[in-house]
Amino acid sequence: MLYEDADSTLLRVFECFMESAPQLVCQLYIVMQQGIEANVFLFVLQCGSITTSLLSLAWAMLAYHKALRYSREDKKNMSYMGMAFMYVWQLFMIAPRVLSLALFASALHFWIFAPIVVHWIIMFAWLVTLKTNFFDKEWVEKYFKGAVAFVYIFCYLNIVDGTTRFRYMFYYILMYCENALLVLVWYFFIDDTHKWYRFPSLVGVLSLFLVGIIFMLIYYKCWHPLGRNKIKTCLPCKKPCEDPKSCVNLLHGTNVNTDTRPTTAV
């Protein structure tokens, strides 16, 4: 039953980032085109809808990570503080991305598909290089990676167990550079330079992502289920170990994974 919960939350992630996230970008685009002057009441309703949609995207990521850890015997469960920090981390990663895409689209309209397609191609090529075997048929495996690459347009979803440090570094550096480029192009190409959200949007996109990085580091340092074990040395055993590899796994905070389903190490 726990495995089914993890699978259902993964499907929820795909639904959110392949349907709700693009709709959220479109909502922001429409709000920017209409402005507050058109209808103040409608503007307030749209802002409320945008806020709840954004919060639900971050919650979908948290729910998947939580359900996956509950379904795996070799994974420790997350604490409430850990879930809080992960939620803020995911929220501050997704919000600048959605905002930068909407801002770029409001200035250059259909050219928004150019950076999206380029980003998808890069992510898909990266995923293809990862050695995974989730499905028996190769074309199904590539189709799955294509769907994950679409999720990568908005946030990172780890599908390979193991050390994630360098994968996070590559993805987040690329994402921050893309967000900065998108918002800077919008900032200098916008027709009306007197819009009230011009400078706050620029600062928000460039700073909120860094705040999300800080929350991610705090999560891994203080609230990760295995975070504290990684800085401890191996305690002396009272009796001979039946499996010497278990001490090595405990020392490095890793576990032997015998399941072939998509996993995440966060």
Side-chain angles (χ1 to χ4, degrees), residues 1 41 95 114 125 131-132 195 197 221 232:
M1 187 64 183
F41 181 71
K131 303 300 181 180
T132 60
K195 289 184 179 292
Y197 58 85
K221 182 64 176 178
K232 294 180 180 179

Side-chain angles (χ1 to χ4, degrees), residues 49-66:
S49 175
I50 290 170
T51 302
T52 55
S53 297
L54 185 61
L55 295 175
S56 67
L57 292 177
W59 180 259
M61 291 296 297
L62 174 62
Y64 170 65
H65 294 147
K66 179 183 176 182

Side-chain angles (χ1 to χ4, degrees), residues 88-89 91-94 96-97 172-173 175-177 179-180 202-218:
V88 178
W89 157 28
L91 180 63
F92 283 175
M93 292 297 171
I94 299 170
R97 181 61 171 180
Y172 283 144
I173 290 174
M175 183 68 78
Y176 187 79
C177 292
N179 291 349
L202 176 65
V203 175
V205 170
L206 297 179
S207 61
L208 288 180
F209 195 92
L210 298 178
V211 175
I213 294 291
I214 294 174
F215 273 88
M216 179 189 71
L217 295 176
I218 295 175

Side-chain angles (χ1 to χ4, degrees), residues 5-256:
D5 290 340
D7 292 338
S8 64
T9 53
L10 178 60
L11 293 176
R12 174 61 177 164
V13 168
F14 284 127
E15 178 189 5
C16 284
F17 289 97
M18 299 182 73
E19 180 180 351
S20 300
Q23 291 178 357
L24 181 57
V25 175
C26 291
Q27 279 185 297
L28 276 170
Y29 171 81
I30 294 172
V31 170
M32 293 173 187
Q33 295 298 311
Q34 291 179 344
I36 305 177
E37 297 79 8
N39 190 322
V40 177
F41 181 71
L42 178 61
F43 175 79
V44 173
L45 291 179
Q46 288 174 328
C47 289
S49 175
I50 290 170
T51 302
T52 55
S53 297
L54 185 61
L55 295 175
S56 67
L57 292 177
W59 180 259
M61 291 296 297
L62 174 62
Y64 170 65
H65 294 147
K66 179 183 176 182
L68 184 60
R69 284 196 168 274
Y70 272 118
S71 65
R72 297 282 300 275
E73 294 182 355
D74 60 334
K75 299 288 185 181
K76 292 185 178 181
N77 295 330
M78 300 170 60
S79 65
Y80 289 110
M81 284 297 298
M83 289 188 287
F85 273 89
M86 174 176 282
Y87 182 79
V88 178
W89 157 28
Q90 297 293 341
L91 180 63
F92 283 175
M93 292 297 171
I94 299 170
R97 181 61 171 180
V98 171
L99 181 58
S100 62
L101 290 173
L103 291 171
F104 185 88
S106 67
L108 298 178
H109 307 292
F110 289 103
W111 282 103
I112 185 60
F113 293 105
I116 290 177
V117 171
V118 171
H119 182 86
W120 182 88
I121 292 174
I122 295 174
M123 294 295 101
F124 180 72
W126 181 34
L127 289 168
V128 169
T129 62
L130 300 178
K131 303 300 181 180
T132 60
N133 187 25
F134 300 134
F135 303 95
D136 296 331
K137 297 182 179 179
E138 184 178 356
W139 69 270
V140 179
E141 185 85 11
K142 290 184 177 180
Y143 182 83
F144 172 75
K145 290 183 177 180
V148 175
F150 194 93
V151 176
Y152 279 13
I153 295 174
F154 299 97
C155 73
Y156 180 77
L157 176 66
N158 186 39
I159 62 172
V160 181
D161 211 0
T163 304
T164 58
R165 180 181 305 171
F166 295 105
R167 292 198 291 267
Y168 273 129
M169 288 178 60
F170 168 74
Y171 179 82
Y172 283 144
I173 290 174
L174 177 64
M175 183 68 78
Y176 187 79
C177 292
E178 286 184 7
N179 291 349
L181 180 62
L182 291 173
V183 74
L184 287 173
V185 169
W186 164 80
Y187 188 82
F188 291 107
F189 275 82
I190 188 173
D191 296 329
D192 187 2
T193 58
H194 299 288
K195 289 184 179 292
W196 64 269
Y197 58 85
R198 185 169 182 256
F199 185 72
S201 297
L202 176 65
V203 175
V205 170
L206 297 179
S207 61
L208 288 180
F209 195 92
L210 298 178
V211 175
I213 294 291
I214 294 174
F215 273 88
M216 179 189 71
L217 295 176
I218 295 175
Y219 166 77
Y220 274 102
K221 182 64 176 178
C222 303
W223 302 109
H224 189 276
L226 293 177
R228 299 181 183 277
N229 291 335
K230 292 181 179 180
I231 61 176
K232 294 180 180 179
T233 57
C234 187
L235 297 176
C237 299
K238 296 182 179 179
K239 59 181 179 179
C241 297
E242 296 179 359
D243 183 10
K245 293 183 179 180
S246 61
C247 290
V248 178
N249 294 331
L250 178 61
L251 176 61
H252 295 282
T254 58
N255 293 283
V256 178

